Amino acid sequence: MSVFQIPDPAASSPILVTGGAGFIGSNFIRLWLARETAPVVNLDKLTYAGNLENFSDLTDRRLEFVRGDIGDVKLVKDLLARIRPRAILNFAAESHVDRSIHGPDDFIATNVVGTFRLLECARDYWQRLDAAEREAFRFLHVSTDEVYGTLAASDPAFSETNAFKPNSPYAASKAASDHLVRAWHHTYGLPVVTTNCSNNYGPYQFPEKLIPLMIHNALSGKPLPVYGDGMQVRDWLHVEDHCEAIRCVLAKGRLGETYNIGGNSEKANIDVVHTLCDILDTERPRADGNSYKEQIAFVKDRPGHDRRYAIDAAKMTGELGWTPKETFETGLLQTVRWYLANPTWTERVISGAYRDWIQKNYSAR
Ligand code: NAD
Ligand code: TYD
């Protein structure tokens, strides 16, 4: 299904973004169109996490949307032959740890098999390019810090040389995809770069992840479900800083390398929830005048819950000159204000299937 067509066939060759109807992909496309001239083709299967509303404000005619699966070899091969991209950026994935615990199948299908098939299509396409195009082509794989496993409180942050020790089905499926990407470079010479990023937050994040879920539950008068003791630590990065880092790696990253991206902003979950409550108490006080903190409920922990993630982003900073612009405090305030200003976005993404998920994940806790 094409929503927008590229108008000018002589325009510079496009990039192909997979998973561009999701949280980070849609933010990336928005940033790309604002900063770059090349068109974008967005290939997305539109799972529960993919949402046309995430880019409905983008009327730029350089954007084309194609509905499809990264694992559909015929569709991807035909698409590559038609649009002739100069890069493929693979954001498409099943991305939620709790869902991977309840049902890992889709994670293996998309993150492992889907990435494998996309790599094979990319290799076939890349081998047919002329020498100059082959030289310029990039396959950028977007991945996560969760491939490295968990850290103790006193451990140094994850660097690119850390061994992979994934603990959840999600993390294991992403680690497998990272290994495939590495092997396709080492064995076939495919020009790849991989990014491993920490937890993102910002506009258009599906309300199953910690920050948008807490905002939605708070405003709906529901409990704020904190897993275990709430002392698990994540290194939070605003999504626009992640997207800018990806643009930077695409332009300047060395082939076959991996780049860790993080916000240098480690927070315990309970502190994140307290900060969200403080912001909401000011921005949208409860009718009874009490704090949203009254809604916090400690619930049964996630099985295999990783205790701490932290990213050492020295390679991004030293080699590519990237640093995050947003602090956690300014970024979180901006994010809460976005959700307050866009209630219909949340209402539309919360379908019957979302209610089924909430029931499945929280009722037995
Ligand atoms: P998301 O779940 O919001 O979006 C994923 C998108 O991929 C959706 O639009 C979905 O429809 C699409 N998709 C799923 N399976 C597909 C398939 N088989 N073919 C085509 N499209 C498919 O995820 P996100 O948070 O935007 O994450 C994007 C990428 O970034 C993922 O690879 C994730 O592992 C990685 N990442 C996420 C975070 C984070 O904090 N969210 C942090 C680091 C890395
Ligand atoms: P999440 O946003 O699912 O990201 P990830 O598991 O990839 O880090 O969760 C972030 C942290 O918040 C994680 O430690 C689990 C915790 N969490 C809760 O305490 N309650 C919740 O309802 C959710 C969704 C997450």
Side-chain angles (χ1 to χ4, degrees), residues 201 279 283 327-338:
Y201 67 97
I279 294 173
E283 298 285 319
T327 65
F328 186 67
E329 288 66 32
T330 57
L332 200 63
L333 178 60
Q334 180 252 36
T335 301
V336 172
R337 285 182 174 159
W338 186 87

Side-chain angles (χ1 to χ4, degrees), residues 96-98 146 199 208-210 213-214 225-227 232 234 236 269 302 305 309 362:
H96 187 34
V97 173
D98 292 317
E146 303 192 26
N199 286 60
E208 64 185 356
K209 305 279 168 67
L210 179 73
L213 181 116
M214 293 295 170
V226 175
Y227 297 166
Q232 302 81 10
R234 299 292 183 263
W236 293 96
N269 292 337
R302 172 189 278 174
H305 199 170
Y309 303 141
Y362 295 97

Side-chain angles (χ1 to χ4, degrees), residues 182-201:
R182 177 190 157 86
W184 260 240
H185 175 69
H186 192 77
T187 301
Y188 304 113
L190 190 71
V192 309
V193 272
T194 296
T195 56
N196 293 92
C197 188
S198 60
N199 286 60
N200 282 214
Y201 67 97

Side-chain angles (χ1 to χ4, degrees), residues 182-253:
R182 177 190 157 86
W184 260 240
H185 175 69
H186 192 77
T187 301
Y188 304 113
L190 190 71
V192 309
V193 272
T194 296
T195 56
N196 293 92
C197 188
S198 60
N199 286 60
N200 282 214
Y201 67 97
Y204 301 99
Q205 188 168 29
F206 193 76
E208 64 185 356
K209 305 279 168 67
L210 179 73
I211 288 175
L213 181 116
M214 293 295 170
I215 297 170
H216 172 64
N217 281 19
L219 296 172
S220 316
K222 294 182 183 147
L224 307 181
V226 175
Y227 297 166
D229 64 1
M231 291 307 291
Q232 302 81 10
V233 170
R234 299 292 183 263
D235 179 355
W236 293 96
L237 181 70
H238 191 274
V239 64
E240 280 174 28
D241 280 321
H242 184 191
C243 293
E244 196 62 63
I246 290 171
R247 211 166 64 90
C248 190
V249 172
L250 182 65
K252 299 190 275 183

